Amino acid sequence: MPAGRFAPSPTGRLHLGNLRTALVAWLFARHDGAPFWVRFEDLDTASVRDEHYLTQIDDLASLGLDWDEPTVRQSERLGLYQEALANLLADDIAYPCFCSRREIREAASAPNMPFAGHQYPGTCAKLSSEQRARKQRDRPPAYRVRAAGRTMAFHDDVAGAQQFEVDDFVVQRNDGTPAYHLVVVIDDHHQGVELVVRADDLLESTSRHLVLYELLGFPPPRYAHVPLVLSADGNRLAKRHGAVNLSDRQAKGESAGDVLQLLAVSLGLATSGERCDTATLLQRFNPALLPTEPLILPDDYLAVEIQPDR
């Protein structure tokens, strides 16, 4: 069974775009009778807040979503990521990188540089052990995977045929934090996730993840990237746009059922004004009919009423 998952970062309340992606991920998994996991991406300790583990779970439950236990926190799985990095380094698949962001920008824009057009120009890829030792005295390294110039093609269950070139990407930051590209591959593999449903702002990242699946000897999953929910200005939803999360909508007098109805209509699973629950949406779900364009919410829908001073 192609197990699915939803993997939020507990840095705030889930906004309507997060909830829409969670709903689609749940529909994909439960449509196939498969397990559905909730996994918290909580390695960014500076932004994570304890209360949001609970508020995000409550929001998912309020929509009528369920999931299999246990829920997982990445912060409790650091040993898995460190082991994977050690294996990549032992095989010389990963290497230390001492470049700053400014140095990368300057090197990538220089004339006649190899890997032209890629984000990372390969500056540290061929350093000798002596050069690495000298640089490490001044700056702790990040670690990158050797992938420069590879082209990865794949089929996305929503977006269709895709193809991207892959640069040497970071798998551990220079502060010792494992990078998203590494941890998401390790987590999905260890949880048996065979269908990754997420927002389409991560579509290009999939090519990097497929490189890691290959290098680590893991079978790759299928992917389904859901179009974003945008504000009228064309940007991803953020708190500045107004009533963007379930709590905000409830403050405007809406119920969780009203929010579910909005999401269902946007996915072509309900008609305007029709009330339905997740069981009904599951019966109607057809992955082939999912929209491929973003949902744009008008300003008047997101507007927050300002209460007059008394």
Side-chain angles (χ1 to χ4, degrees), residues 2-8 17-32 35-37 39 41 156-158 180 184 188 193-203 206 213 221-227 267 285 287 290:
R5 50 74 159 178
F6 177 62
N18 303 139
L19 294 172
R20 187 171 184 258
T21 299
L23 174 60
V24 177
W26 181 87
L27 288 167
F28 262 107
R30 295 310 196 211
H31 180 261
D32 291 331
F36 179 67
W37 312 108
R39 182 175 73 230
E41 297 184 344
D156 186 87
D157 284 11
V158 175
Y180 170 75
V184 71
D188 284 339
V193 173
E194 298 178 32
L195 176 60
V196 174
V197 180
R198 57 192 181 191
D200 66 3
D201 57 336
L202 290 168
L203 187 61
T206 302
Y213 274 103
R222 289 164 40 217
Y223 288 91
H225 285 82
V226 182
L267 296 170
F285 182 61
L290 284 171

Side-chain angles (χ1 to χ4, degrees), residues 119-149:
Q119 182 178 0
Y120 182 69
T123 308
C124 293
K126 295 182 179 180
L127 293 179
S128 67
S129 57
E130 292 79 7
Q131 289 172 315
R132 290 174 180 172
R134 285 199 302 271
K135 287 180 174 291
Q136 194 154 0
R137 288 196 290 267
D138 299 323
R139 179 184 299 167
Y143 290 91
R144 293 180 181 272
V145 160
R146 299 185 188 278

Side-chain angles (χ1 to χ4, degrees), residues 181-248:
H181 301 303
L182 177 65
V183 299
V184 71
V185 167
I186 298 300
D187 286 339
D188 284 339
H189 173 71
H190 279 270
Q191 289 193 283
V193 173
E194 298 178 32
L195 176 60
V196 174
V197 180
R198 57 192 181 191
D200 66 3
D201 57 336
L202 290 168
L203 187 61
E204 185 172 355
S205 293
T206 302
S207 58
R208 297 177 174 182
H209 302 164
L210 290 172
V211 167
L212 274 176
Y213 274 103
E214 182 179 306
L215 294 175
L216 291 167
F218 299 159
R222 289 164 40 217
Y223 288 91
H225 285 82
V226 182
L228 294 171
V229 178
L230 305 177
S231 63
D233 62 12
N235 291 313
R236 289 184 293 180
L237 290 185
K239 189 64 179 176
R240 70 178 184 277
H241 291 121
V244 298
N245 61 46
L246 192 55
S247 178
D248 296 333

Side-chain angles (χ1 to χ4, degrees), residues 35-309:
F36 179 67
W37 312 108
V38 173
R39 182 175 73 230
F40 289 108
E41 297 184 344
D42 62 348
L43 296 183
D44 184 6
T45 55
S47 301
V48 166
R49 297 292 179 268
D50 287 343
E51 64 268 22
H52 292 308
Y53 293 101
L54 294 178
T55 59
Q56 292 186 352
I57 285 289
D58 288 345
D59 286 349
L60 296 175
S62 294
L63 287 187
L65 305 185
D66 65 341
W67 51 90
D68 294 87
E69 295 293 345
T71 58
V72 169
R73 299 186 182 191
Q74 288 180 337
S75 57
E76 299 172 346
R77 298 161 65 85
L78 291 174
L80 287 174
Y81 315 138
Q82 292 164 351
E83 179 183 0
L85 177 61
N87 290 336
L88 292 172
L89 289 168
D91 292 335
D92 197 33
I93 296 170
Y95 62 89
C97 173
F98 303 90
C99 298
S100 67
R101 292 181 180 179
R102 179 182 60 81
E103 289 168 340
I104 292 171
R105 288 195 302 269
E106 291 175 353
S109 62
N112 302 318
M113 273 299 295
F115 315 122
H118 296 286
Q119 182 178 0
Y120 182 69
T123 308
C124 293
K126 295 182 179 180
L127 293 179
S128 67
S129 57
E130 292 79 7
Q131 289 172 315
R132 290 174 180 172
R134 285 199 302 271
K135 287 180 174 291
Q136 194 154 0
R137 288 196 290 267
D138 299 323
R139 179 184 299 167
Y143 290 91
R144 293 180 181 272
V145 160
R146 299 185 188 278
R150 294 183 62 174
T151 298
M152 299 300 292
F154 61 96
H155 176 82
D156 186 87
D157 284 11
V158 175
Q162 304 293 319
Q163 181 171 295
F164 299 99
E165 291 186 354
V166 187
D167 63 354
D168 284 11
F169 56 93
V170 171
V171 287
Q172 181 171 291
R173 300 185 333 211
N174 66 359
D175 64 359
T177 303
Y180 170 75
H181 301 303
L182 177 65
V183 299
V184 71
V185 167
I186 298 300
D187 286 339
D188 284 339
H189 173 71
H190 279 270
Q191 289 193 283
V193 173
E194 298 178 32
L195 176 60
V196 174
V197 180
R198 57 192 181 191
D200 66 3
D201 57 336
L202 290 168
L203 187 61
E204 185 172 355
S205 293
T206 302
S207 58
R208 297 177 174 182
H209 302 164
L210 290 172
V211 167
L212 274 176
Y213 274 103
E214 182 179 306
L215 294 175
L216 291 167
F218 299 159
R222 289 164 40 217
Y223 288 91
H225 285 82
V226 182
L228 294 171
V229 178
L230 305 177
S231 63
D233 62 12
N235 291 313
R236 289 184 293 180
L237 290 185
K239 189 64 179 176
R240 70 178 184 277
H241 291 121
V244 298
N245 61 46
L246 192 55
S247 178
D248 296 333
R249 304 312 305 174
Q250 290 170 334
K252 288 174 69 79
E254 296 180 12
S255 67
D258 294 323
V259 173
L260 181 64
Q261 196 265 343
L262 168 79
L263 301 179
V265 170
S266 77
L267 296 170
L269 298 175
T271 58
S272 181
E274 179 187 8
R275 306 293 294 188
C276 49
D277 57 18
T278 51
T280 302
L281 300 183
L282 191 56
Q283 292 175 350
R284 297 176 179 178
F285 182 61
N286 182 347
L289 299 181
L290 284 171
T292 57
E293 297 298 324
L295 170 63
I296 300 176
L297 298 176
D299 289 336
D300 58 353
Y301 176 78
L302 296 175
V304 177
E305 294 183 9
I306 300 176
Q307 298 296 326
D309 294 333

